[in-house]
């Protein structure tokens, strides 16, 4: 499927808005991205947290930590096979080799804390009409005349019966647009009210403040997807060099950095 006709996503749209040239290099030219331990950290933590929830929060912390370790190690080793020179990896504040080791230990600690936190604080996971728990909940809806797809980490049930969108974060970047899109998508796909959203912040082992979503409209969210989709179809990919270039995984193929 060509980039002009494939469904859009929050990550595609935000990447295009931040730097359309990065979007082009990664998604059209298919430049092989530089590895980053932070990516594997996030993926492994999500896998462990999902397993904890699917167990009904009965999974022992040791088992969850082992699951994180296995996912993280497998992903890092696969990236090392593809790019054994860790100096070419992305990292912030430390060397890439140090970052790989640091995130292994950090992810284990965060996973163990999530197990304890989930048993004490986590509200009920919503169950879809088909009987599936809303964990890594897939959706595809039309917004602004554009097909939009994605996966929602968690949807929980509030005491008043409305739903809450939750995104799990191991990093510091939070996207209100992501919560807004997911809220609209759940309402559109399931005809159920979504009241708010939040982020589980693994760095602090806590939830963010809730973000009100009951006033978000399909039109306001759809405008951004429509603008991005139109730009891609026009072949409009301007570079926006700046601070974020140091974290760009295709900067090695970019002449505008």
């Amino acid at each position: 499927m060509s980039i002009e006709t494939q469904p859009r996503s929050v990550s595609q749209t935000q990447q295009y808005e931040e730097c359309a040239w990065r979007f082009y290099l990664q998604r059209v030219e298919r430049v092989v991205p530089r590895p980053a331990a932070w990516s594997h950290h996030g993926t492994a933590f999500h896998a462990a947290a999902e397993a904890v929830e699917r167990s009904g929060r009965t999974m022992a912390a040791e088992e969850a930590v082992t699951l994180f370790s296995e996912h993280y190690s497998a992903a890092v080793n696969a990236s090392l096979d593809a790019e054994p020179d860790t100096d070419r990896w992305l990292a912030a504040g430390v060397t890439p080799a140090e970052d790989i080791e640091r995130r292994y230990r950090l992810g284990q600690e965060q996973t163990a804390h999530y197990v304890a936190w989930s048993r004490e604080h986590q509200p009920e996971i919503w169950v879809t009409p088909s009987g599936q728990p809303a964990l890594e909940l897939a959706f595809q809806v039309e917004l602004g005349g554009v097909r939009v797809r994605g996966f929602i980490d968690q949807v929980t049930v509030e005491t008043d019966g409305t739903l809450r969108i939750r995104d799990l974060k191991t990093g510091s970047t939070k996207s209100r647009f992501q919560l807004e899109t997911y809220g609209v998508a759940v309402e559109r796909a399931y005809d159920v009210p979504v009241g708010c959203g939040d982020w589980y912040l693994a760095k602090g082992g806590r939830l963010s403040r809730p973000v009100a979503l009951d006033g978000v409209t399909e039109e306001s969210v759809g405008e951004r997807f429509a603008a991005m989709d139109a730009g891609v179809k026009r072949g409009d990919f301007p570079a926006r060099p700046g601070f974020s270039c140091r974290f760009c995984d295709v900067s090695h193929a970019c002449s505008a950095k």
Side-chain angles (χ1 to χ4, degrees):
M1 184 181 297
S2 72
I3 193 65
E4 290 84 5
T5 58
Q6 67 180 234
R8 305 308 180 197
S9 67
V10 170
S11 60
Q12 281 188 34
T13 301
Q14 292 185 148
Q15 184 184 65
Y16 182 88
E17 291 173 344
E18 184 176 84
C19 180
W21 187 241
R22 178 183 179 185
F23 178 100
Y24 177 83
L25 291 174
Q26 183 172 329
R27 302 178 188 271
V28 180
E29 288 295 316
R30 302 291 184 181
V31 171
V32 177
R34 294 163 61 192
W38 61 60
S39 175
H40 302 321
H41 175 190
T43 300
F45 178 82
H46 276 73
E50 180 184 355
V52 169
E53 295 300 334
R54 291 194 183 279
S55 76
R57 302 174 191 142
T58 62
M59 179 179 286
E62 294 79 7
E63 184 179 355
V65 168
T66 297
L67 185 61
F68 168 86
S69 304
E70 291 174 347
H71 275 267
Y72 182 82
S73 297
V76 167
N77 288 335
S79 289
L80 285 170
D81 287 342
E83 179 50 81
D85 183 1
T86 58
D87 287 341
R88 292 179 57 82
W89 286 45
L90 292 171
V94 295
T95 69
E98 291 170 335
D99 198 38
I100 291 171
E101 179 62 29
R102 179 177 67 91
R103 289 181 180 276
Y104 179 77
R105 297 192 302 270
L106 179 60
Q108 290 177 328
E109 295 169 1
Q110 291 172 342
T111 299
H113 186 89
Y114 181 84
V115 172
W117 176 87
S118 68
R119 291 174 180 170
E120 183 177 355
H121 298 289
Q122 183 78 318
E124 176 187 356
I125 297 293
W126 181 57
V127 177
T128 70
S130 64
Q132 298 300 312
L135 299 165
E136 290 297 318
L137 181 65
F139 69 85
Q140 181 163 298
V141 296
E142 184 174 300
L143 299 173
V146 178
R147 284 184 302 145
V148 178
R149 65 183 176 190
F151 293 87
I152 306 171
D153 290 343
Q154 298 177 0
V155 182
T156 64
V157 182
E158 298 286 271
T159 56
D160 63 359
T162 62
L163 302 184
R164 177 183 293 222
I165 304 298
R166 176 157 299 150
D167 191 53
L168 309 181
K169 305 298 293 186
T170 52
S172 57
T173 301
K174 302 187 294 293
S175 168
R176 185 185 181 100
F177 178 58
Q178 183 180 38
L179 295 182
E180 291 175 345
T181 297
Y182 291 175
V184 167
V186 167
E187 290 187 337
R188 178 76 176 272
Y190 296 99
D191 193 27
V192 290
V194 174
C196 63
D198 62 25
W199 297 276
Y200 175 80
L201 307 172
K203 280 186 173 182
R206 60 178 178 82
L207 290 180
S208 71
R209 292 181 179 180
V211 175
L213 299 177
D214 50 353
V216 178
T217 66
E218 288 187 28
E219 291 74 21
S220 63
V221 172
E223 285 176 359
R224 288 180 66 173
F225 287 105
M228 172 267 187
D229 184 69
V232 171
K233 288 177 176 174
R234 289 195 308 269
D236 188 12
F237 300 105
R240 297 184 178 91
F243 178 79
S244 62
C245 291
R246 68 185 63 189
F247 306 110
C248 177
D249 54 3
V250 292
S251 61
H252 54 286
C254 179
S255 59
K257 61 182 178 179

